[in-house]
Amino acid sequence: MDKGLRLTEKWLQRGLWLVAIVFAGFLIGLGSLVVRNLWDVERPLTVEQFMDPARARALKAELEQSRERREAARERLDQATQKHAVAQSNTRSARATFDNWLATRDATARPEQDPELIARTRALDALEADERKALGAVEAEQQAMLDATQASDRAHVSWRRLEEPAQRAFLDASEAKELRVFLYRLALTLPLLLVAGWLFRHKRKSADWPFAWGFILFALFTFFFELVPYLPSYGGYVRYAVGIVLTVIVGRYAITWLQHYLARQKQAEALPAVERRQTMRYDVALARLGKGVCPGCERPVDLKDNGIDFCPHCGIGLFDRCGCCSARKNAFARFCFSCGTAANTTLAD
Ligand SMILES: [Zn+2]
Ligand SMILES: [Zn+2]
């Protein structure tokens, strides 16, 4: 991650950051797929697998049977009800005809019609007997349906009784499975953080830094965000605990880095100016001057004041005169801007 001032170099640096982010994006996508599918590592759980299989099978058969019986009884009941309705209307119309006939007979009062009266009465009796029989069939089917319904209710009650402890066992097993799968997920994502830490320590400044940073982003995102929807109730503790540990490690690292930097800087400022200038990097020196700070000690200096040739804080020369044309020039420039004579050719890029 060298910071150069050349235009192409600057843009390439930005492009490499884009590479790091895209790399992280693909890794995150892949990681989230793996983390999600970890649930399927174990067999899916069902309530029935916690029931006595023989009892469950028998009860299921019983439930199915009583349901079929009830359906059949309902169909037969519909038929019988229809037949009863027909018999009822037959009787009703026959009785009406008979009543009319009887009325005429009473009016005429012809005794030779008595045998017909007997025959008609018999026919009416027969129709009434049919109606009663049809009613009997309806009642029998109602009874059959009631029996089937009660059998089904009893089977349901037995099923619920069998299901209740199974339900509890199922919930316990589900909770245990949730914990196990969470541990699998943790076992997968926690080492990613360790790898990311190693990459940060050793590879963040190597030529392959975009991949190292991509992986670091991926590991952080996966642990702190990807895991969130799968956290069990106590999962927050794991997340915050790891977050605290990580912050402490990063904080300690930053503090040590700051101390080392200050120590290094003090040591460098104690060296003679010529020697210091040679250890400085050209682009860094120019970038610092551009920000209005001394390239040697990084403290602010008024560069617009033509009277200031040396840093008032550390004493390093900021401006000098060209050995050839004696123009006042930037002491860090490699060539005199006025005559082109080489000056600080020893500064590294
Ligand atoms: Zn200075
Ligand atoms: Zn010159």
Side-chain angles (χ1 to χ4, degrees), residues 268-286:
E269 281 170 30
L271 292 172
V274 183
E275 208 172 311
R276 285 171 67 194
R277 200 187 297 281
Q278 278 169 358
T279 59
M280 236 169 258
R281 284 175 45 222
Y282 183 61
D283 281 341
V284 173
L286 289 192

Side-chain angles (χ1 to χ4, degrees), residues 264-265 268-269 271-289 293-298 311 314-318 330-334 344-349:
R264 235 182 12 244
Q265 200 65 23
E269 281 170 30
L271 292 172
V274 183
E275 208 172 311
R276 285 171 67 194
R277 200 187 297 281
Q278 278 169 358
T279 59
M280 236 169 258
R281 284 175 45 222
Y282 183 61
D283 281 341
V284 173
L286 289 192
R288 284 180 184 166
L289 281 174
V293 298
C294 162
C297 64
E298 295 185 49
C311 170
C314 69
I316 199 166
L318 301 173
N330 181 343
F332 296 91
R334 279 180 176 163
N344 287 295
T345 43
T346 48
L347 256 63
D349 253 339

Side-chain angles (χ1 to χ4, degrees), residues 163-279:
E163 200 180 38
E164 219 171 293
Q167 196 89 42
R168 276 197 298 274
F170 169 76
L171 284 180
D172 289 348
S174 298
E175 254 171 47
K177 179 183 173 181
E178 207 170 294
L179 171 64
R180 278 197 306 279
V181 174
F182 176 65
L183 291 179
Y184 299 156
R185 284 177 175 138
L186 212 56
L188 195 77
T189 47
L190 211 49
L192 290 181
L193 283 184
L194 297 181
V195 174
W198 183 85
L199 284 174
F200 180 77
R201 238 187 122 84
H202 300 287
K203 295 284 172 192
R204 75 177 191 279
K205 282 180 178 163
S206 72
D208 289 331
W209 67 264
F211 298 111
W213 275 103
F215 191 90
I216 290 167
L217 290 177
F218 154 65
L220 289 174
F221 184 87
T222 301
F223 188 83
F224 288 101
F225 297 100
E226 203 60 65
L227 219 51
V228 172
Y230 310 111
L231 289 179
S233 50
Y234 47 83
Y237 293 109
V238 177
R239 189 165 160 235
Y240 290 125
V242 172
I244 290 166
V245 170
L246 220 59
T247 314
V248 169
I249 291 174
V250 170
R252 285 294 315 158
Y253 186 86
I255 291 165
T256 325
W257 188 87
L258 179 67
Q259 283 168 343
H260 281 162
Y261 164 78
L262 286 177
R264 235 182 12 244
Q265 200 65 23
K266 269 185 195 142
Q267 216 173 10
E269 281 170 30
L271 292 172
V274 183
E275 208 172 311
R276 285 171 67 194
R277 200 187 297 281
Q278 278 169 358
T279 59

Side-chain angles (χ1 to χ4, degrees), residues 322 324-327 336 338-341:
C322 170
C324 181
C325 71
S326 27
C336 169
S338 177
C339 69
T341 304

